[in-house]
């Protein structure tokens, strides 16, 4: 394939019509050429340029402190090998645990501060594209952060290796010489079977096999597919944004090296990373006219996490835009839905058959709902109603029914809203519709974890949205960054430290929001907007006064 074609594809200049299977090899070769060019030509220069920016180094220091502060019971399983090997038992005691938690909080403050300062600006696309990579490096060998799901992934991979059905048995069945996998799983999930797609489980099995039956190392290695997923996201999201006239810089800033991506997709090694990255790739393929492969990629994504199937709404919307025939909107909607829904269903069925694990995940979709999550609006309302009913003296059966009934109502409302978005918004703003339905599913579901917001939030970063929406995304990021920090401090028995730090961080952000930004990047101007923990930056040699001024307040971030 000519190099000019590969370069054109990398710039997003090629619009290929729907491809028959005979052109699969050509498509693969073209993407291979683009990836090769990025690794050979762009990566070294991009990393060097990113490292030259003091704010990137400040965020990297923040991630390093988070990695150091993670060596506590908040993140490590009991009797973790790394504790014995490095003689870190003292970090589990009062003074050691408090010190590590303080380092963790300082690291989070540095990370958030660096991110807020690095607003999009002219000519920063290459720098921003590789910031996520430098920020990821300090935590590659850290324990899974802000969640213990990676330990469950390792146990599920071991279950597949034992020839058991992960859709029928939980980690408690991993015994004997492999009991180390069971021992590091959160007790809450010991008896629960896997709710994930079959390819996710086979990937977990492959990682367990490669790591040689070392349970802790297998959990750490779950970060590798997450890292590859963020790399794919950094490649596809800016190109998707440019397709719709949106700043690639802003898409990278909001959707790739966002603190929540760093904390949960990279740090937490969540399988959601693969789903989000493949959905972004699918929508990019659809925007370029490669609708068949877009539908197949949605199916591939759903084989990792089933919620990805909702992003098919965006593919259908793009197919409707490409349909220039005289058919009515309803006819185009039905035709595109049947064709591309059929391609996705056939691909999903084929991949499931190849995986050899079957469809046992269907009854397990309710497994996450066994946790009462007050971050979920329906669950929060149901819990409040439950409390009111309990103090009013109504029968216990009414009290017990409050939460599940409100959760069911929330799901029904969510499904109605999703249908309206698919019909009214999908044909006009396909990518926005995909982001919106994923966010609606998250908000209406019975359980919400901070990384669930990234399902649609990352895609929203590539959409044409208003200044207030960007502002809202910034505040949501800040809230959940504070939430994760407080949650970790509570787990370490130092909740007062976390609450104090979160309150201080929010007060600083409110002051910036109200006063605007009249100072330079290090707070030397007339404004009071000095960064969080600037002293850390000066002590570490990261305080470069020559860095160009960058306004940090969300008011200045526009499409």
């Amino acid at each position: 394939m000519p190099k000019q074609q590969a370069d054109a594809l990398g710039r997003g200049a090629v619009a290929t019509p729907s491809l028959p299977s005979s052109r699969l090899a050509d498509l693969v070769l073209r993407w291979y050429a683009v990836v090769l060019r990025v690794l050979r030509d762009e990566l070294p220069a991009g990393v060097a340029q990113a490292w030259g920016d003091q704010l990137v180094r400040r965020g990297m220091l923040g991630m390093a402190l988070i990695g150091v502060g993670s060596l506590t019971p908040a993140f490590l399983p009991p009797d973790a090998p790394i504790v014995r090997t490095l003689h870190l038992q003292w970090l589990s005691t009062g003074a050691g645990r408090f010190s590590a938690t303080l380092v963790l909080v300082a690291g989070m403050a540095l990370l958030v501060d660096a991110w807020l300062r690095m607003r999009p600006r002219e000519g920063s696309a290459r720098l921003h594209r590789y910031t996520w990579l430098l920020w990821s490096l300090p935590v590659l060998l850290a324990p899974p952060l802000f969640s213990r799901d990676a330990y469950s992934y390792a146990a599920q991979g071991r279950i597949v290796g034992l020839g058991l059905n992960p859709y029928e048995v939980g980690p408690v069945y991993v015994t004997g010489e492999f009991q180390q996998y069971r021992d590091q799983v959160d007790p809450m999930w010991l008896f629960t079977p896997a709710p994930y797609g079959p390819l996710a489980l086979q990937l977990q099995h492959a990682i367990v096999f490669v790591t040689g039956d070392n349970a802790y190392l297998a959990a750490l290695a779950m970060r590798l597919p997450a890292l590859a997923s963020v790399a794919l996201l950094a490649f596809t999201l800016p190109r998707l944004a440019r397709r719709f006239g949106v700043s690639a810089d802003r898409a990278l800033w909001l959707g790739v090296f966002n603190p929540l991506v760093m904390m949960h997709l990279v740090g937490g090694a969540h399988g959601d990373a693969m789903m989000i990255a493949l959905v972004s790739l699918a929508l990019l393929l659809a925007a370029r006219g490669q609708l068949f492969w877009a539908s197949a990629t949605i199916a591939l994504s759903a084989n990792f996490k089933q919620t990805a199937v909702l992003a098919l709404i965006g593919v259908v919307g793009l197919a409707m835009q490409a349909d220039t025939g005289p058919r009515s909107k309803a006819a185009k909607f039905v035709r595109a839905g049947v064709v591309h829904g059929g391609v996705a269903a056939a691909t999903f069925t084929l991949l499931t058959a190849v995986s050899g694990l079957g469809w046992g995940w269907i009854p397990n979709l309710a497994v996450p709902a066994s946790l009462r999550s007050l971050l979920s609006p329906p669950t929060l309302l149901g819990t409040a109603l439950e409390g009111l009913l309990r103090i009013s003296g109504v029968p216990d059966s009414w009290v017990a029914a409050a939460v599940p009934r409100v959760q069911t109502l929330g799901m029904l409302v969510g499904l109605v809203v999703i249908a309206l978005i698919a019909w009214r918004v999908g044909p006009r703003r396909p990518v926005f519709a995909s982001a919106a339905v994923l966010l609606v599913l998250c908000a209406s579901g019975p359980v919400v974890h901070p990384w669930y917001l990234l399902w649609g939030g990352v895609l929203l970063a590539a959409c044409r949205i208003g200044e207030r929406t960007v502002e809202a995304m910034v505040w949501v990021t800040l809230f959940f960054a504070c939430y994760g920090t407080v949650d970790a401090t509570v787990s370490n028995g130092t909740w007062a430290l976390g609450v104090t730090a979160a309150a201080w961080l929010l007060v600083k952000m409110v002051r910036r929001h109200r006063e605007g930004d009249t100072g330079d990047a290090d707070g030397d101007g007339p404004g009071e907007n000095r960064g969080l923990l600037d002293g850390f930056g000066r002590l570490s040699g990261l305080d470069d006064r020559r860095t160009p001024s960058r306004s940090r307040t969300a008011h200045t971030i526009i499409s």
Side-chain angles (χ1 to χ4, degrees):
M1 180 197 64
K3 181 178 184 298
Q4 292 83 354
Q5 284 186 333
D7 290 342
L9 180 61
R11 294 191 301 268
V14 178
T16 310
S18 298
L19 298 176
S21 58
S22 60
R23 298 186 62 187
L24 175 60
D26 180 61
L27 178 64
V28 171
L29 287 174
R30 296 173 70 191
W31 280 98
Y32 171 77
V34 173
V35 173
L36 183 64
R37 176 171 56 82
V38 169
L39 292 177
R40 183 189 60 202
D41 301 332
E42 294 186 16
L43 181 62
V47 169
Q49 184 182 6
W51 175 254
D53 190 287
Q54 67 98 359
L55 292 178
V56 175
R57 300 197 302 274
R58 177 176 297 190
M60 196 174 178
L61 174 61
M63 291 295 287
L65 294 178
I66 291 171
V68 171
S70 68
L71 300 173
T72 66
F75 302 114
L76 287 168
D79 301 320
I82 190 173
V83 174
R84 297 192 302 271
T85 302
L86 301 180
H87 305 289
L88 300 175
Q89 291 87 348
W90 63 278
L91 289 176
S92 299
T93 62
R97 186 184 295 191
F98 181 85
S99 300
T101 307
L102 183 62
V103 170
L104 173 73
V105 171
M108 183 58 65
L110 273 175
L111 174 66
V112 170
D113 183 56
W115 178 71
L116 287 171
R117 293 170 182 268
M118 293 179 65
R119 74 171 184 85
R121 61 187 177 88
E122 189 69 25
S124 64
R126 175 176 289 179
L127 170 108
H128 287 169
R129 184 178 303 163
Y130 297 104
T131 297
W132 70 270
L133 180 59
L134 290 177
W135 286 6
S136 300
L137 293 179
V139 297
L140 288 185
L141 298 179
L145 304 176
F146 302 101
S147 167
R148 295 191 178 185
D149 281 5
Y151 301 117
S152 295
Y153 297 164
Q156 288 161 181
R158 184 66 269 171
I159 289 173
V160 176
L162 291 173
L164 302 174
N165 189 337
Y167 293 137
E168 295 179 358
V169 302
V172 72
Y173 283 84
V174 182
T175 58
E177 62 179 311
F178 303 117
Q179 185 169 332
Q180 55 176 319
Y181 289 91
R182 182 187 71 182
D183 291 344
Q184 65 182 11
V185 174
D186 190 316
M188 182 185 303
W189 308 117
L190 274 176
F191 297 90
T192 56
Y196 306 109
L199 288 189
L201 294 173
Q202 289 293 8
L203 178 61
Q204 292 160 11
H205 172 219
I207 290 174
V208 167
F209 176 79
V210 170
T211 51
D213 289 325
N214 183 316
Y216 183 72
L217 182 59
L220 292 189
M222 296 298 165
R223 191 170 276 134
L224 295 179
L227 200 65
S229 299
V230 178
L232 178 59
L233 201 58
F235 180 80
T236 58
L237 198 67
R239 288 166 171 79
L240 184 64
R242 284 196 294 265
R243 279 270 161 180
F244 298 97
V246 177
S247 164
D249 291 9
R250 196 202 66 184
L252 285 162
W253 184 74
L254 277 176
V256 177
F257 62 95
N258 183 296
L260 297 185
V261 173
M262 294 292 103
M263 291 167 60
H264 298 296
L265 297 191
V266 175
H270 287 287
D272 304 66
M274 186 69 72
M275 181 202 86
I276 297 167
L278 288 173
V279 165
S280 177
L281 173 61
L283 292 173
L284 178 61
L285 289 171
R288 289 175 169 171
Q290 299 163 0
L291 296 166
F292 176 90
W293 298 115
S295 304
T297 304
I298 291 290
L300 177 63
S301 178
N303 243 273
F304 286 92
K305 190 136 189 175
Q306 300 87 337
T307 49
V309 72
L310 284 179
L312 195 62
I313 288 172
V315 177
V316 169
L318 287 163
M320 291 176 67
Q321 291 183 357
D323 187 348
T324 57
R327 287 177 288 271
S328 65
K329 175 184 175 181
K332 290 181 179 181
F333 186 85
V334 171
R335 182 176 184 273
V338 169
V339 170
H340 298 290
V343 170
T347 306
F348 189 95
T349 302
L350 176 62
L351 292 172
T352 299
V354 170
S355 75
L357 293 177
W359 301 80
W361 53 267
I362 294 177
N364 295 347
L365 291 177
V367 165
S370 59
L371 172 69
R372 181 171 292 198
S373 168
L374 296 184
L375 289 176
S376 162
T379 302
L380 179 61
L381 291 175
T383 301
L385 177 61
E386 180 185 67
L388 291 174
L389 292 175
R390 180 173 288 112
I391 62 177
S392 64
V394 301
D396 290 345
S397 59
W398 291 25
V399 175
V403 173
R405 293 290 175 83
V406 176
Q407 288 177 336
T408 301
L409 178 62
M411 285 299 300
L412 291 175
V413 171
L415 291 174
V416 171
V417 174
I418 287 170
L420 289 173
I421 292 173
W423 171 249
R424 297 177 65 87
V425 182
R428 296 185 293 106
R429 302 183 65 189
V431 177
F432 179 81
S434 292
V437 296
L438 288 168
L439 289 172
V440 168
L441 179 67
C442 172
S444 62
V447 175
V448 173
H449 295 297
W451 54 93
Y452 285 10
L453 276 78
L454 297 174
W455 296 347
V458 167
L459 294 178
L460 197 61
C463 300
R464 182 171 291 280
I465 52 179
E467 182 180 337
R468 291 187 178 181
T469 303
V470 174
E471 233 181 296
M473 293 176 69
V474 171
W475 285 110
V476 168
T477 298
L478 293 175
F479 171 81
F480 281 101
C482 291
Y483 174 86
T485 304
V486 173
D487 187 54
T489 61
V490 170
S491 298
N492 276 337
T494 53
W495 61 270
L497 172 63
V499 171
T500 303
W504 177 61
L505 178 64
L506 287 176
V507 167
K508 292 287 288 186
M509 296 308 105
V510 170
R511 291 182 65 182
R512 285 182 185 172
H513 178 78
R514 289 179 177 176
E515 295 175 7
D517 187 354
T518 56
D520 66 14
D522 288 299
D524 289 335
E528 192 274 332
N529 298 299
R530 297 192 59 80
L532 301 174
L533 299 183
D534 269 345
F536 251 128
R538 290 191 293 273
L539 289 173
S540 59
L542 302 184
D543 198 3
D544 185 355
R545 301 288 173 174
R546 293 171 296 176
T547 300
S549 175
R550 298 183 188 181
S551 174
R552 298 180 302 277
T553 184
H555 280 302
T556 62
I557 305 165
I558 58 175
S559 300

